[in-house]
Amino acid sequence: MTQDTIVSSWNDFDPLRHVIVGRADHCCVPPSEPAVDDKVPVDSKMKGMWGPRPLETVEAANEQLDGFAKLLESRGIRVDRPTPIQWNQAVSTPDFRTFSMFGCMPPRDVLLTVGNEILSAAMSFRCRYFEYLAYWPLMNQYFREDPNFRWEQAPRPRLTDESYRPNYGMGKHAMTIEERLEKVAAKEFVTTEVEPMFDAADVMRMGKDLFVQHGLTTNRTAMEWMQRHFPNHRVHAVNFPGDPYPIHIDATFVPLRPGLCINNPHRKMPEEQRKIFAKNDWEIVDAAMPAHDNPPPLCYSSTWLSMNCLVLDHKTVCVEASEVHQMEQMDKLGMEVIPVPLRDAYAFGGGIHCCTADVYREGTCEDYFP
Ligand code: NVA
């Protein structure tokens, strides 16, 4: 690494030095569109509603996000923030139109950092098509500061109706959880394979290996694209048949340090896929149960944001402050636990890991699975 290196991160556990923390400003509940509709459970109060989120919830989320940013800074970590735009505006491309955007929480969904590259994802939600704009000022700044920074954008998806299965789970095709699980087992999701589509949060970076969840937001074509884009990496497709809404790997399978991962006990990694971990002496431990029975109001995510933690180094981890069982388990696993109040930000798209994106971690590209 040269002295000018600003961007470098190969995994989610080496010592963190520089990170982006999201903002809740102007965030909206997006209007109906195929990929979003499939993510919102039929019995959710969010079904059918859209528009700007209540101001008091934006303020409460921002207060906690600002507090988290300050906490990280107090530990010597550089923190940057996105520049929100007015998300509550209709946007159109030659291929689609939507009446509002989403927000710039959480950055982890959009930005995939691999070594000295930050790649903006090819997201499948139409309302998130322009979300990368909130990070454009930072990317431009890193580009000027770091001569080796690779500022990259995955192929912009067209997101025409061809990108989604027609009426998937909609209206009279609404599915029970059991029916959804059958679809998940058959790997039949709302997104089709006509073009690469992925969210960065479906990718778990572990040095030379990228473990990518196949689900609602990431298709196989994207994995093929990733493999060609990162020719020196091994891209592994993983799936978690117990999850009726498989989206984003970081409340399902989370590495804590080299050799140790926690796995959601309701979404176990299949035996076949575990082999690579066992063969290389990695331990996979069932994550502790969430402390809450329900997610907060207007939240897309499950209670399993409990395990959505930010590892600061091999011995230190940030866990949401009300997640008492997860904190206790981390402590038993030998980690120093930093409790971070963030539950007011959950509704905006995720937890402690989701609300960040790596810019710089110490360390190099290791081969953990030779
Ligand atoms: N599918 C996940 C999203 C976590 C970031 C969940 O809701 O559990």
Side-chain angles (χ1 to χ4, degrees), residues 43-97:
D43 56 353
S44 166
K45 289 207 178 82
M46 297 172 80
K47 214 69 190 171
M49 69 174 286
W50 66 277
R53 286 178 175 269
L55 188 58
E56 63 278 12
T57 66
V58 172
E59 285 169 354
N62 269 340
E63 198 176 315
Q64 293 196 334
L65 289 162
D66 292 350
F68 187 26
K70 281 206 188 80
L71 184 151
L72 293 168
E73 281 171 345
S74 75
R75 299 187 69 102
I77 296 167
R78 174 174 158 190
V79 179
D80 287 334
R81 312 295 299 276
T83 307
I85 60 174
Q86 178 48 266
W87 304 111
N88 181 27
Q89 51 180 318
V91 291
S92 61
T93 73
D95 291 311
F96 68 81
R97 197 155 179 242

Side-chain angles (χ1 to χ4, degrees), residues 39 109 201 213 243 245-252 264 267 300-305 308 349-351 354:
K39 170 65 183 147
D109 297 359
Q213 172 170 238
D243 185 357
Y245 298 94
I247 153 171
H248 304 163
I249 196 166
D250 51 353
T252 296
N264 186 318
R267 308 173 184 168
Y300 290 97
S301 311
S302 70
T303 53
W304 289 100
L305 287 182
N308 187 260
C354 301

Side-chain angles (χ1 to χ4, degrees), residues 17-226:
R17 297 285 171 243
H18 185 177
V19 74
I20 297 171
V21 173
R23 284 190 199 275
D25 309 62
H26 312 309
C27 277
C28 294
V29 175
S32 172
E33 57 159 298
V36 172
D37 291 347
D38 189 47
K39 170 65 183 147
V40 183
V42 255
D43 56 353
S44 166
K45 289 207 178 82
M46 297 172 80
K47 214 69 190 171
M49 69 174 286
W50 66 277
R53 286 178 175 269
L55 188 58
E56 63 278 12
T57 66
V58 172
E59 285 169 354
N62 269 340
E63 198 176 315
Q64 293 196 334
L65 289 162
D66 292 350
F68 187 26
K70 281 206 188 80
L71 184 151
L72 293 168
E73 281 171 345
S74 75
R75 299 187 69 102
I77 296 167
R78 174 174 158 190
V79 179
D80 287 334
R81 312 295 299 276
T83 307
I85 60 174
Q86 178 48 266
W87 304 111
N88 181 27
Q89 51 180 318
V91 291
S92 61
T93 73
D95 291 311
F96 68 81
R97 197 155 179 242
T98 176
F99 292 106
S100 102
M101 292 176 278
F102 186 88
C104 52
M105 243 301 281
R108 190 68 66 174
D109 297 359
V110 190
L111 303 175
L112 180 63
T113 310
V114 177
N116 62 355
E117 166 170 341
I118 299 182
L119 173 68
S120 292
M123 305 177 93
S124 62
F125 286 19
R126 291 169 175 167
C127 59
R128 305 191 75 177
Y129 192 80
F130 290 108
E131 204 162 309
Y132 75 98
L133 291 175
Y135 305 98
W136 189 94
L138 289 176
M139 297 304 117
N140 199 15
Q141 182 190 337
Y142 303 157
F143 185 70
R144 317 263 155 202
E145 290 174 353
D146 178 350
N148 296 313
F149 171 46
R150 289 168 56 90
W151 180 8
E152 293 276 358
Q153 168 71 62
R156 302 294 278 144
R158 296 192 68 169
L159 307 183
T160 68
D161 290 345
E162 303 284 298
S163 297
Y164 313 100
R165 286 177 206 272
N167 301 319
Y168 185 94
M170 299 282 294
K172 65 179 182 351
H173 305 280
M175 287 183 269
T176 61
I177 292 291
E178 290 68 31
E179 286 164 342
R180 292 198 68 92
L181 288 171
E182 279 169 29
K183 294 272 186 208
V184 171
K187 303 193 180 96
E188 203 180 290
F189 303 107
V190 64
T191 38
T192 63
E193 294 290 344
V194 296
E195 59 181 344
M197 285 179 275
F198 69 96
D199 278 9
D202 280 315
V203 183
M204 192 49 69
R205 306 162 306 136
M206 297 202 205
K208 232 177 136 41
D209 294 270
L210 302 172
F211 293 89
V212 186
Q213 172 170 238
H214 182 201
L216 309 186
T217 36
T218 295
N219 63 9
R220 299 298 284 235
T221 310
M223 296 183 207
E224 174 60 30
W225 182 85
M226 272 180 224

Side-chain angles (χ1 to χ4, degrees), residues 321-336:
S322 66
E323 296 296 348
V324 284
H325 308 310
Q326 193 53 76
M327 287 196 287
E328 193 186 329
Q329 180 187 39
M330 294 292 192
D331 181 61
K332 285 196 182 126
L333 290 169
M335 306 290 287
E336 183 208 334

